[in-house]
Amino acid sequence: MNAPHPAKVAGIDSTVPSPAHTVAPAAPGASPATAPNATDAAEATTAPGAPCAPGALLQDRLAGWVSDLTTLHELTERLVRTDSLSEGLQEVLRAGAALVGARRGLVVLEPADGLGPHTTVGLGLARADLGHIETVPRSALSYGRILDGLPVGADGIAEPDLLAEKNLDPRHREVAARLGYTASYALPLSTKDTEATGATGRLGAAVWLYDEPAEPGERQRHLAGRYARYAAQHLARLLEVERTRARMATMAEELLPSRLPRVPGVQLAARHRTGPRGGGDWYDALPLPDAALGLAVGSVTGSGPSAVAAMGRLRASLRAYAVMEGEDPVAVLSDLELLLRLTEPARSATALFGYCEPALRRITLAGAGHSPPLLIGERRTEFIETSVSAPLGMLACWEAPSVEFQAEPGETVLLYTDGLLHRTGAPADRAFARLHAAAAGIPRAERHDPDAVAEHVLRTVLPDGKADADSEEDVVLLAVRFE
């Protein structure tokens, strides 16, 4: 007769290892107080010398399972709140360290498809420490064997006493002694691509380091393994988001000028920050006949691949119109508005185009719903007021008068998109005031360099990393300094 299987209670799989604090079976005639791993609750409810109550072991085991499930739930809840790959990797390291009782560790991200990104993130390890570990031959490291696709048990790879191993690689021994770790525990981070084939998609490996000889127990390995399998699924999603953002940024950058032209009489510099989904902000500087220069900034509504593609088409069209009739900025924008209305009826765009004559230090400007440029000089810092007009695509026929202004030697004209103002999170008047103050406060030593001017304005208007943080708003700056 077959022995009965332990019953499942509340959906808990009874085949998982017993919790570490579960009461061990008592020997006949032995009291629970003398049984290994006996709990205080068992001592309080069972009289000395009496056999363990029939339901005490099951109750204690259930309590352990509930505790473990609660721990896993809390850790996975913290993980799913991460929305970037770097944050997700750090959270995996912290949670794994708590589960296996380690203090330090690292995650090596190395997707098996070879599409990247490849990175190493440490917990309690400085960049120099990670560099030392990377000098160890890959085959001598537990996580290296995982990344090389060698067979790994379901419980990972434990190395309880590295320095006691006779065959330990000399360089590994030297690095371990230098960094002060003597044991490690590594787990693969991989996902199943298809349930039918069981094929796995390796993302990387995680390893935790112990300061003293140690090895996670059976229960710790079980919990860490379950967490790692769930974490790999979340990391795979974050990885795809990261790749999509990188592709969008690359696409947007490829549609913008690869380099700014060199035109006698002016110096040019630009800054461009793309949002995570890719936006439609652009800039351009185009040499024109008669030693002139066409300057443009603009923004297409929307985000994502369609907005980036629309931005590319609009910028290419503006270049063609600028070559044909650039000396008349109103005609250039009028043609662009007609094209937008006929080919992109569901979109609108703001644009600013200037016909620059460097020899005369003169710019003729026309704007369509765009913020005014900023003139920065030793004796003045002021906005160049353009005529108020609607964005392109908003009216049946767009037209607005142009304005003309003269710059002094050494002055810089700053063209920018509205994303610079929107990223501040301040009302429009305060955002303009912040931009004006940033331009007025440019150090004298930096005013001769348009690159330094653009960088100073960007970092001052958007401090504390806002310039590089993920945002729905693109940012474009184009600085033109007259010699």
Side-chain angles (χ1 to χ4, degrees), residues 8-309:
K8 287 187 177 181
V9 179
I12 299 175
D13 187 356
S14 57
T15 61
V16 300
S18 301
H21 58 277
T22 299
V23 178
S31 69
T34 60
N37 298 324
T39 63
D40 293 338
E43 289 181 312
T45 58
T46 308
C52 185
L57 294 178
L58 178 59
Q59 183 177 3
D60 187 67
R61 181 168 296 184
L62 287 175
W65 284 332
V66 170
S67 174
D68 292 340
L69 290 174
T70 301
T71 299
L72 286 176
H73 174 74
E74 292 175 352
L75 293 177
T76 53
E77 280 289 305
R78 281 166 41 184
L79 179 64
V80 298
R81 285 196 290 269
T82 60
D83 56 5
S84 70
L85 188 58
S86 59
E87 290 178 358
L89 294 174
Q90 286 287 353
E91 180 57 35
V92 167
L93 279 175
R94 287 192 292 266
L99 289 172
V100 302
R103 188 172 62 89
R104 295 180 290 174
L106 65 150
V107 168
V108 181
L109 188 68
E110 191 176 297
D113 58 13
L115 300 179
H118 293 185
T119 186
T120 301
V121 177
L123 173 68
L125 296 170
R127 175 53 59 182
D129 299 334
L130 297 176
H132 287 306
I133 294 175
E134 289 173 352
T135 64
V136 179
R138 185 178 173 115
S139 59
L141 297 167
S142 56
Y143 71 82
R145 298 195 289 272
I146 294 174
L147 296 176
D148 288 339
L150 299 178
V152 178
D155 291 339
I157 301 177
E159 295 175 312
D161 194 349
L162 283 167
L163 302 183
E165 294 184 12
K166 296 181 179 180
N167 297 326
L168 186 66
D169 181 87
R171 179 56 183 166
H172 194 184
R173 186 184 301 276
E174 178 183 347
V175 170
R178 179 169 186 161
L179 300 185
Y181 68 87
T182 60
S184 68
Y185 177 63
L187 278 173
L189 296 173
S190 60
T191 62
K192 283 192 175 182
D193 292 331
T194 60
E195 294 294 336
T197 63
T200 58
R202 190 196 69 234
L203 301 179
V207 59
W208 292 274
L209 308 175
Y210 298 89
D211 298 340
E212 302 292 338
E215 182 178 0
E218 180 185 6
R219 192 68 190 178
Q220 290 175 306
R221 294 191 188 196
H222 174 74
L223 292 176
R226 290 181 67 90
Y227 178 82
R229 288 190 290 274
Y230 179 87
Q233 299 290 341
H234 183 68
L235 292 176
R237 291 189 288 270
L238 295 179
L239 178 64
E240 285 305 311
V241 172
E242 190 80 9
R243 287 176 172 177
T244 300
R245 291 178 177 179
R247 294 188 195 106
M248 293 303 305
T250 300
M251 185 187 304
E253 292 296 335
E254 289 296 324
L255 290 173
L256 294 174
S258 57
R259 62 182 180 85
L260 293 170
R262 294 185 178 181
V263 178
V266 295
Q267 295 174 295
L268 303 172
R271 290 292 185 275
H272 182 226
R273 298 291 185 270
T274 304
R277 293 190 297 172
D281 287 18
W282 87 88
Y283 68 93
D284 208 348
L286 176 67
L288 297 176
D290 301 325
L293 182 67
L295 304 170
V297 292
S299 177
V300 175
T301 55
S303 61
S306 62
V308 174

